[in-house]
Amino acid sequence: DSGVTQTPKHLITATGQRVTLRCSPRSGDLSVYWYQQSLDQGLQFLIQYYNGEERAKGNILERFSAQQFPDLHSELNLSSLELGDSALYFCASSGTPGRDGELFFGEGSRLTVL
Amino acid sequence: GENVEQHPSTLSVQEGDSAVIKCTYSDSASNYFPWYKQELGKRPQLIIDIRSNVGEKKDQRIAVTLNKTAKHFSLHITETQPEDSAVYFCAALFSGGGADGLTFGKGTHLIIQP
């Protein structure tokens, strides 16, 4: 158990819909990262938050947004969903950004868009 | 930003033989290089990491080497066992303009043949 909690574990929805994925980082970790993993693909970095503020942006679509709340949990919002958005979405947390810290991954949220 | 290339995409070895996975990176300022193992349907987990002030690091059957001049690093697994079958991801820590995060390679599917 990494200490990072993601919900829901599985989600099936239709094209055009909007979903929210939730992540609770490890206790004490201030940094939250979101990654997308499509079938047979690597880990695509989407976005990073540190202590409530956006810290870095990767290949995140404009239809996607995220935020980190005062209690440090984070949500990834995916809207106007397309078939290609079907993927495993991982949240990860670490202690101190900019330092050589290990990333702790959650179990992932598997999104299927039909 | 950082770019990480990983080869091969698939590697099949006989049980007991060694496996080597190679990665190159583009940002000479990168200074932290972890390797993650992802078993089927599970989250990525850190197995070993190396920092730029070290050329080699070992942990039982796994070792990582780093050549900063050539900007490449490799994962070596000796005496492979069936439980080594998984997807392995290399990563490099990039930083710049206050943004931090890991860039992952596309992964290597390691298959251990009995």
Side-chain angles (χ1 to χ4, degrees):
Chain A
D1 183 8
S2 66
V4 178
T5 303
Q6 286 188 251
T7 57
K9 286 187 168 48
H10 301 277
L11 188 56
I12 300 174
T13 188
T15 55
Q17 295 298 305
R18 172 190 170 94
V19 299
T20 298
L21 309 180
R22 182 188 169 100
C23 170
S24 293
R26 284 191 326 153
S27 177
D29 282 357
L30 299 178
S31 227
V32 169
Y33 303 76
W34 286 97
Y35 287 87
Q36 180 192 54
Q37 186 175 40
S38 301
L39 192 63
D40 293 333
Q41 293 295 309
L43 291 157
Q44 294 293 319
F45 169 64
L46 296 178
I47 197 164
Q48 178 201 356
Y49 281 84
Y50 174 71
N51 203 20
E53 293 191 3
E54 182 182 305
R55 183 74 179 242
K57 247 182 181 178
N59 300 320
I60 187 166
L61 300 173
E62 286 191 10
R63 300 183 285 109
F64 296 0
S65 64
Q67 54 185 327
Q68 186 179 29
F69 295 87
D71 67 353
L72 301 178
H73 91 270
S74 178
E75 292 182 356
L76 178 66
N77 301 296
L78 314 175
S79 62
S80 302
L81 285 168
E82 301 175 359
L83 295 177
D85 297 328
S86 294
L88 192 53
Y89 291 85
F90 284 105
C91 168
S93 74
S94 69
T96 306
R99 303 294 176 90
D100 303 339
E102 176 180 353
L103 277 186
F104 293 87
F105 284 85
E107 297 295 331
S109 291
R110 183 170 295 281
L111 173 66
T112 302
V113 182
L114 301 177
Chain B
E2 177 68 276
N3 184 42
V4 177
E5 299 283 340
Q6 183 172 349
H7 299 280
S9 56
T10 303
L11 178 60
S12 181
V13 301
Q14 288 293 124
E15 182 178 348
D17 287 350
S18 296
V20 180
I21 303 170
K22 299 181 179 182
C23 289
T24 60
Y25 61 98
S26 60
D27 186 354
S28 58
S30 292
N31 56 11
Y32 174 62
F33 307 91
W35 287 86
Y36 283 79
K37 175 183 179 182
Q38 185 179 24
E39 296 178 4
L40 187 62
K42 297 192 175 180
R43 61 186 171 88
Q45 290 185 270
L46 180 73
I47 55 171
I48 195 168
D49 56 15
I50 190 167
R51 305 181 194 283
S52 58
N53 58 346
V54 174
E56 183 176 1
K57 183 177 178 180
K58 286 184 179 179
D59 182 3
Q60 299 183 341
R61 296 187 297 107
I62 60 173
V64 57
T65 59
L66 171 65
N67 183 327
K68 282 202 70 180
T69 304
K71 291 191 284 189
H72 67 71
F73 55 113
S74 301
L75 178 72
H76 304 252
I77 306 175
T78 58
E79 301 172 19
T80 52
Q81 300 170 5
E83 54 264 35
D84 295 329
S85 292
V87 178
Y88 292 81
F89 293 97
C90 63
L93 180 66
F94 68 88
S95 61
D100 305 282
L102 283 175
T103 298
F104 285 86
K106 291 193 181 299
T108 296
H109 186 191
L110 177 61
I111 302 167
I112 308 301
Q113 302 279 6

